[in-house]
Amino acid sequence: MATTEPIATNNGGIRVTHDEEKGLQRTTTGVTMSPELFEKLYLSPKVPHVGDYNRRFANPTALGFVGFVISTFTFSMILMGWGGAEGFAPVVGIFFFVGPLLLTFAMVFEWVMGNFFPMMVMGLFSVFWASFGFLQLPTLQLGAAYASTADPTGLGSPKYNAVIALYLIVWGFALFTFFIFTCKINTVFAAIFLLVSTACWVLSAAYWKVSTGDFEAAGKLQKGGGALLFVVAMLGWYMCFIIMAGEMRITLNLPVGDLTRFWPNTDVELTTQDPHRD
């Protein structure tokens, strides 16, 4: 049976075949991908790396997204009180296993593969879920220092809730810092960080309201923060689906709002960027 090959071109004496739909280039030495496809799959600008780990290991980015999105969806729906849901004790596993476990695995392999920004993102969300999870464990008695006769657990203490409010404010600024750098990647990723930063500040305001005894306003702010996180989770699923489709070589042209075209090309050797190098 006769076979046909993709259209071949010659680039500097090297035989190259193109697969435009997948964004891949097959050469006599292996398979390379365009900077645009690399950014979409790894959520990081394509820069020169030592070694070939991106070819030897599977892309871990989608794994981290799965852990993040499942945890965020669950967290957000409980915050909004869907179906009368209240409290995180039944699903405390999202704070220690689903979220942090998958994110930590992804972080380690992003580090191995030399993907700096995804490594930072996975590590950031991993410790966020783990640290926030400790607040949901009554056995730790974290509010004991604020306990009183009227509030034996101390969890309703103004001081206790003010401390958590400050904690979430700091997280909001940390996430907003990451948002600045996502503006070099794509619009969907940037929107995730902008919304999750805002959600942290809204939830911080909810804890402030609890500390002042304004429980009605606190409830509204809690639902508002949950709604923002629900949108974040939807965007996360969208990015995860795109990454998995790309890795499975399913031809989809779903938009992510590429922002790399507004920045200088990073797919060059670092030595060529140093104007002082001889």
Side-chain angles (χ1 to χ4, degrees):
M1 179 177 179
T3 60
T4 60
E5 292 184 353
I7 298 174
T9 63
N10 190 283
N11 183 13
I14 300 177
R15 186 173 182 274
V16 181
T17 59
H18 299 277
D19 190 336
E20 297 290 344
E21 291 183 348
K22 299 185 180 72
L24 301 175
Q25 292 183 338
R26 299 182 180 274
T27 69
T28 56
T29 57
V31 178
T32 62
M33 65 179 71
S34 66
E36 293 77 14
L37 180 60
F38 186 94
E39 172 268 322
K40 181 178 283 190
L41 294 180
Y42 291 93
L43 298 180
S44 179
K46 188 176 182 183
V47 297
H49 289 151
V50 177
D52 59 348
Y53 295 122
N54 287 331
R55 298 179 185 178
R56 294 170 56 190
F57 298 113
N59 181 2
T61 307
L63 180 66
F65 259 107
V66 169
F68 169 74
V69 169
I70 292 176
S71 298
T72 306
F73 259 134
T74 307
F75 187 62
S76 65
M77 289 186 288
I78 294 174
L79 285 177
M80 290 187 288
W82 283 13
E86 183 177 349
F88 299 100
V91 292
V92 73
I94 66 174
F95 299 108
F96 298 105
F97 297 102
V98 179
L101 189 63
L102 295 182
L103 284 162
T104 299
F105 275 129
M107 178 195 69
V108 171
F109 283 101
E110 296 283 11
W111 170 69
V112 169
M113 298 170 71
N115 296 328
F116 169 76
F117 193 70
M119 175 201 71
M120 294 288 291
V121 170
M122 303 301 175
L124 182 78
F125 282 117
S126 177
V127 296
F128 172 79
W129 285 121
S131 63
F132 205 83
F134 277 103
L135 300 177
Q136 315 306 321
L137 294 178
T139 55
L140 296 179
Q141 298 182 347
L142 297 178
Y146 307 98
S148 63
T149 304
D151 181 17
T153 64
L155 300 181
S157 164
K159 293 181 179 179
Y160 177 83
N161 285 280
V163 169
I164 298 178
L166 290 172
Y167 173 72
L168 288 174
I169 287 175
V170 174
W171 267 105
F173 279 108
L175 291 163
F176 188 79
T177 301
F178 275 64
F179 158 71
I180 295 173
F181 293 107
T182 59
C183 292
K184 192 177 180 179
I185 301 175
N186 64 57
T187 303
V188 175
F189 205 33
I192 287 174
F193 273 89
L194 181 61
L195 291 173
V196 79
S197 302
T198 306
C200 274
W201 289 326
V202 171
L203 292 176
S204 172
Y207 277 98
W208 281 119
K209 290 298 183 180
V210 172
S211 70
T212 61
D214 190 350
F215 299 108
E216 182 178 356
K220 293 179 180 178
L221 287 167
Q222 176 182 307
K223 290 183 178 180
L228 288 170
L229 290 175
F230 188 81
V231 177
V232 167
M234 291 180 65
L235 292 173
W237 267 125
Y238 180 72
M239 283 304 308
C240 184
F241 182 82
I242 289 174
I243 294 170
M244 292 182 67
E247 291 293 344
M248 296 298 293
R249 301 298 184 262
I250 298 175
T251 303
L252 292 174
N253 191 24
L254 297 176
V256 295
D258 178 43
L259 299 174
T260 57
R261 65 181 183 274
F262 299 114
W263 297 82
N265 182 27
T266 58
D267 190 21
V268 294
E269 294 295 337
L270 296 179
T271 54
T272 64
Q273 298 179 347
D274 185 357
H276 303 292
R277 188 177 180 87
D278 295 334

